[in-house]
Amino acid sequence: MKKSTAIALTLMTALGAASAAQASVSYCTTVGTAKLNKEISLATKYGNTAKAAALEEALANIETSCAAKEMQEAQKKVIKLEKKLTQAQNELTSAQAELQKAQVVGKNSKILKYQNKIAEKQAKVEIVTAELEQARATLAALTS
């Protein structure tokens, strides 16, 4: 009788750990971790310490994996925004050069056109700079 109970307990633990590990991809959400915490509570409540320990380990692994994934995504976003900012700054510099050419020629219509273009490019640079600062703050929060 004791042997069959031990086998059943081992199987339940293995199945619990396997199902928790298998679900790790979808458990990066608050709902997923809440479900896993509930399973841990139930296992603890009914004295299944082995299953609770396995689920707690799975939860820790999931949280670590999710944190690493979030950090990687934040790093990618920072890199993407840095490239976008460089491009926006290059476009602004180009528009300023065109304005200077138009001023040398003295064409008022072209001067006005490039002044408007410069204003648009400056606004774009400011927006991307703000987005980049936010992304860097997010990344810094994840790394600390």
Side-chain angles (χ1 to χ4, degrees), residues 91-143:
E91 290 173 0
L92 176 60
T93 302
S94 177
Q96 289 169 335
E98 292 296 325
L99 174 62
Q100 288 177 347
K101 288 179 188 176
Q103 288 172 334
V104 169
V105 174
K107 272 192 141 178
N108 287 336
S109 63
K110 292 268 186 182
I111 292 171
L112 183 60
K113 173 185 172 183
Y114 288 112
Q115 285 174 336
N116 290 336
K117 199 171 195 177
I118 287 171
E120 289 174 15
K121 300 301 179 185
Q122 284 174 331
K124 183 176 180 180
V125 166
E126 290 173 10
I127 290 169
V128 174
T129 300
E131 289 175 356
L132 180 57
E133 288 173 6
Q134 179 62 43
R136 285 180 175 158
T138 301
L139 180 59
L142 290 171
T143 56

Side-chain angles (χ1 to χ4, degrees), residues 34-103:
K35 286 179 181 179
L36 199 50
N37 280 321
K38 184 177 179 181
E39 287 183 38
I40 292 168
S41 296
L42 288 172
T44 304
K45 179 179 176 181
Y46 291 106
N48 194 343
T49 55
K51 182 175 180 180
L55 291 171
E56 286 173 356
E57 184 179 340
L59 180 61
N61 290 338
I62 290 166
E63 289 171 349
T64 302
S65 174
C66 291
K69 183 178 177 182
E70 285 179 40
M71 189 179 304
Q72 187 178 36
E73 288 175 6
Q75 288 170 334
K76 285 180 183 179
K77 186 172 183 176
V78 167
I79 292 168
K80 180 181 175 183
L81 287 170
E82 286 173 342
K83 288 178 184 177
K84 189 174 179 179
L85 179 60
T86 301
Q87 181 182 0
Q89 289 170 332
N90 289 341
E91 290 173 0
L92 176 60
T93 302
S94 177
Q96 289 169 335
E98 292 296 325
L99 174 62
Q100 288 177 347
K101 288 179 188 176
Q103 288 172 334

